[in-house]
Amino acid sequence: MKKIFLSIILFQSLLIVAFAQQKVIPYGNNKAAGKYYEVRGIKMYVEVYGQGKPLLLIHGNGGSMNAFSDNIPFFSKKYKVIAVDSRAHGKTVDTKDSLSFEMMADDFSALLDKMHIDSAYVIGWSDGGINALLLAMRHPEKVIKLAATGANLTPDSLGLQPSLWKDMVKEYNERKDKPRTTLKEKNDWKIFMLDYDQPNIPFPALKAIKCPSLIICGDHDLIPIEHTVKIYESIPRAYLWVVPNSGHPTLREHRDDFNKLVNEFFEKPYHKF
């Protein structure tokens, strides 16, 4: 009996050591996978994981590629995952005054060229979803299929929940005249103004998206469901997924379902009902 007990203790100790040795990958700060690419006047920071068909991940406002930490492990088993810090975000520094979604979409197109990638699957969250849509509109040959979650087309109480828009207007009025001297202060204001003034995409313009598209939102998203439905209806070959019991971060709050369903969308041919 004593030997059995000691064996159990030894086995448990080995398990603890094994788990301790499993390193958590610091997505967004992984020197082993990270690289800078000269893209349109900036050095764009990229980390690549896995092999297979290219999959570009585009994060949201104020974030970094780390936003996809719940998704990269899954998709990197099947795809060459290209995780990117967008212009003026994360490790991709941009000291210019101007910033637009169109500029950022062109960045991603140029990045794929730099990496010698003809086209890729794309997942975009929030501002990244806007970028995914614009990438498919402006560079349709670059996008095989796209999944966009939490995207909006207008910076107002129609494209954002009215309470959120009211808070943004209040913040703008409180901060607009404050001096900004440091690079961080200037950059923070620049990316705030990106969402305050933009995007301004007419719904009919989405007809330019030729690739199959999966348009996603949470049923308690920061983007009104009605707005997301109009995006879906405006794209010629699109599916709609309203995630139950979810806020804005559908890809994190419902990680397993998100990974599974987006992967199925990528793998299966588009079916027009």
Side-chain angles (χ1 to χ4, degrees):
M1 188 69 182
K2 185 177 180 181
K3 288 183 178 180
I4 294 174
F5 178 76
L6 289 173
S7 297
I8 292 173
I9 294 295
L10 177 60
F11 178 71
Q12 290 176 336
S13 298
L14 290 172
L15 281 179
I16 291 170
V17 171
F19 281 121
Q21 289 176 342
Q22 290 181 357
K23 294 181 179 179
V24 176
I25 298 175
Y27 299 114
N29 195 31
N30 184 3
K31 293 181 180 179
K35 182 177 178 180
Y36 286 93
Y37 288 86
E38 294 279 352
V39 174
R40 290 166 35 82
I42 58 173
K43 292 182 178 180
M44 181 166 277
Y45 182 68
V46 178
E47 292 181 3
V48 176
Y49 299 92
Q51 297 179 346
K53 294 181 179 179
L55 169 58
L56 177 66
L57 304 181
I58 311 176
H59 63 79
N61 189 284
S64 72
M65 66 178 70
N66 184 261
F68 291 97
S69 58
D70 290 331
N71 315 105
I72 294 174
F74 175 87
F75 285 102
S76 62
K77 294 175 183 177
K78 303 181 179 184
Y79 299 87
K80 178 180 180 178
V81 173
I82 304 163
V84 184
D85 280 354
S86 303
R87 180 185 286 261
H89 291 73
K91 294 180 182 295
T92 303
V93 177
D94 174 33
T95 57
K96 299 180 181 69
D97 294 332
S98 62
L99 184 64
S100 72
F101 287 108
E102 288 78 9
M103 182 188 300
M104 298 165 84
D106 291 348
D107 289 342
F108 296 120
S109 175
L111 173 66
L112 293 178
D113 287 339
K114 279 279 186 178
M115 298 180 73
H116 305 290
I117 295 172
D118 294 332
S119 58
Y121 294 89
V122 180
I123 299 176
W125 174 29
S126 195
D127 278 17
I130 300 167
N131 281 316
L133 296 174
L134 280 168
L135 178 61
M137 292 168 64
R138 296 168 70 84
H139 307 277
E141 74 286 353
K142 295 291 177 64
V143 184
I144 303 169
K145 289 184 177 182
L146 73 85
T149 182
N152 61 299
L153 300 192
T154 56
D156 52 27
S157 58
L158 296 177
L160 300 167
Q161 291 292 354
S163 59
L164 172 61
W165 176 242
K166 183 178 179 180
D167 288 342
M168 290 180 69
V169 171
K170 180 181 178 182
E171 184 174 356
Y172 171 78
N173 289 327
E174 289 175 349
R175 294 176 57 195
K176 64 180 180 178
D177 296 323
K178 289 185 177 180
R180 283 169 281 277
T181 56
T182 68
L183 288 176
K184 185 180 185 308
E185 288 173 339
K186 292 177 180 178
N187 197 76
D188 287 348
W189 182 249
K190 181 170 65 176
I191 63 175
F192 170 80
M193 289 303 298
L194 176 68
D195 279 0
Y196 187 79
D197 285 337
Q198 302 175 53
N200 294 284
I201 306 170
F203 284 100
L206 296 180
K207 290 181 181 178
I209 299 176
K210 304 303 180 186
C211 67
S213 305
L214 177 58
I215 305 303
I216 308 166
C217 71
D219 61 353
H220 291 81
D221 210 307
L222 298 178
I223 314 301
I225 293 177
E226 298 81 5
H227 190 81
T228 302
V229 170
K230 288 187 70 176
I231 293 174
Y232 150 72
E233 291 175 336
S234 300
I235 298 173
R237 295 196 294 163
Y239 296 139
L240 174 67
W241 180 26
V242 178
V243 184
N245 191 31
S246 181
H248 194 51
T250 54
L251 72 174
R252 307 196 77 163
E253 292 180 352
H254 299 270
R255 173 192 63 193
D256 294 339
D257 287 341
F258 185 94
N259 293 342
K260 178 177 178 290
L261 289 176
V262 171
N263 178 63
E264 287 180 357
F265 165 68
F266 286 159
E267 288 186 336
K268 294 180 180 179
Y270 174 78
H271 173 68
K272 187 173 180 62
F273 291 89

